[in-house]
Amino acid sequence: MADENEEQQTKGLSRRQFLKNSGYVVGGAVGGGLLGGVFTQNFVGTTSDQTNTDEGTENESPEQRTQARMFFKRQEDFDVLSAAVERIFPDDDTGPGAISLGVPYYIDKQLAGEYGFNSREYMQGPFFEGAPTQGPQSALLRRDAFLHGVRSIQDIAENQFNESFFDLEADDQDDILEAFEDGDIDMTGIASDEFFAMLRTATIEGAYSDPVYGGNLNMEGWRQIQYPGPQMAYTDAIDGEFEEIDPISLYDHHD
């Protein structure tokens, strides 16, 4: 993570403009091709009673559809997660941050589903330390890695500052997260930098994926980068000057 001065100078460009101009969003979290991970695997099957949800949810707002925890049982764990993702994707003058976009609920839902159980990955041993490009080589499921990571963040905050992570000043929160990013924290079953990489990726995906997956509340993440969502066609907007289109979600196609 950049230091505070660098963050103030570059956050508008490095976080949103870079994602807007790169294929990370258009080809990945939005297009579903590059990232493929957190949200493309998991929305189907993350609840036990989805077969009869249409009648009960068709009149619900996006907030009602999104803001219900499915994985994190302890409020403290969820509050630590929320504070951590907000430091990764903070609210600023370019738009809302991770909490306002519903990213903590997005991550919670993914961990309750296939993504959290690594259900589409080979998870049998033997396990050896791999190259950095190979990612985690562990029997630890993502849901367990996230829970372990969140509680490790809280333990460090309490041990070093005698406060909960979510009550710390932003600079102190950043110091803790930077220690994870640098791989300086001892964790069981996964390196701390690998956990931080998963947390950061899930945060970005939650900010920019379709709201149907639990994040990007009210499509505000898309509005920041002027992405119109899954439009059926652009035939009425392909000529002339650039046209800003109000985004639509998969929810809109369903309705």
Side-chain angles (χ1 to χ4, degrees):
M1 296 175 65
D3 61 38
E4 192 68 23
N5 290 333
E6 292 175 339
E7 180 185 358
Q8 292 299 323
Q9 295 171 357
T10 65
K11 62 184 178 182
L13 172 63
S14 63
R15 192 180 78 202
R16 281 162 172 112
Q17 194 64 34
F18 171 76
L19 289 167
K20 175 182 176 181
N21 292 337
S22 72
Y24 190 54
V25 172
V26 175
V30 174
L34 178 63
L35 300 179
V38 174
F39 66 90
T40 55
Q41 295 181 8
N42 313 276
F43 183 70
V44 176
T46 56
T47 65
S48 60
D49 57 352
Q50 285 187 342
T51 55
N52 295 314
T53 57
D54 289 348
E55 181 179 350
T57 62
E58 62 181 4
N59 295 321
E60 289 182 352
S61 67
E63 292 89 344
Q64 290 172 313
R65 292 167 174 165
T66 298
Q67 296 186 1
R69 295 205 310 271
M70 301 172 64
F71 172 70
F72 287 99
K73 305 303 182 185
R74 287 171 40 180
Q75 184 66 45
E76 179 183 83
D77 294 334
F78 189 74
D79 290 345
V80 172
L81 173 72
S82 299
V85 298
E86 183 70 12
R87 292 310 303 151
I88 294 172
F89 199 101
D91 181 275
D92 58 27
D93 56 4
T94 64
I99 291 177
S100 296
L101 290 171
V103 170
Y105 290 98
Y106 166 85
I107 294 175
D108 175 82
K109 286 178 172 55
Q110 305 315 305
L111 294 176
E114 294 182 4
Y115 171 79
F117 285 99
N118 300 65
S119 61
R120 299 192 182 188
E121 300 173 25
Y122 183 81
M123 294 294 292
Q124 302 300 313
F127 299 99
F128 301 101
E129 183 176 353
T133 55
Q134 292 179 305
Q137 303 293 307
S138 169
L140 193 66
L141 298 178
R142 285 193 191 90
R143 62 199 336 254
D144 298 324
F146 268 82
L147 196 59
H148 179 27
V150 163
R151 292 181 178 176
S152 295
I153 291 173
Q154 177 72 338
D155 288 343
I156 292 171
E158 291 177 343
N159 291 334
Q160 292 186 1
F161 301 97
N162 200 31
E163 287 190 74
S164 293
F165 179 79
F166 44 81
D167 289 329
L168 296 178
E169 297 294 329
D171 288 345
D172 294 331
Q173 291 177 335
D174 288 348
D175 287 342
I176 293 175
L177 293 177
E178 285 171 4
F180 278 83
E181 183 181 25
D182 293 339
D184 295 337
I185 306 301
D186 290 331
M187 295 181 64
T188 302
I190 186 172
S192 66
D193 57 337
E194 292 173 343
F195 161 69
F196 181 84
M198 288 197 302
L199 177 64
R200 178 175 53 194
T201 298
T203 300
I204 295 172
E205 292 183 357
Y208 290 114
S209 62
D210 194 288
V212 75
Y213 300 108
N216 188 14
L217 191 61
N218 297 322
M219 296 174 284
E220 291 299 328
W222 286 350
R223 289 188 173 90
Q224 292 175 22
I225 59 173
Q226 296 180 307
Y227 179 74
Q231 301 282 334
M232 294 298 292
Y234 298 94
T235 54
D236 59 344
I238 59 177
D239 295 324
E241 299 296 325
F242 173 79
E243 181 175 342
E244 186 171 346
I245 302 174
D246 196 43
I248 62 173
S249 165
L250 292 174
Y251 276 131
D252 299 309
H253 290 303
H254 172 75
D255 294 340

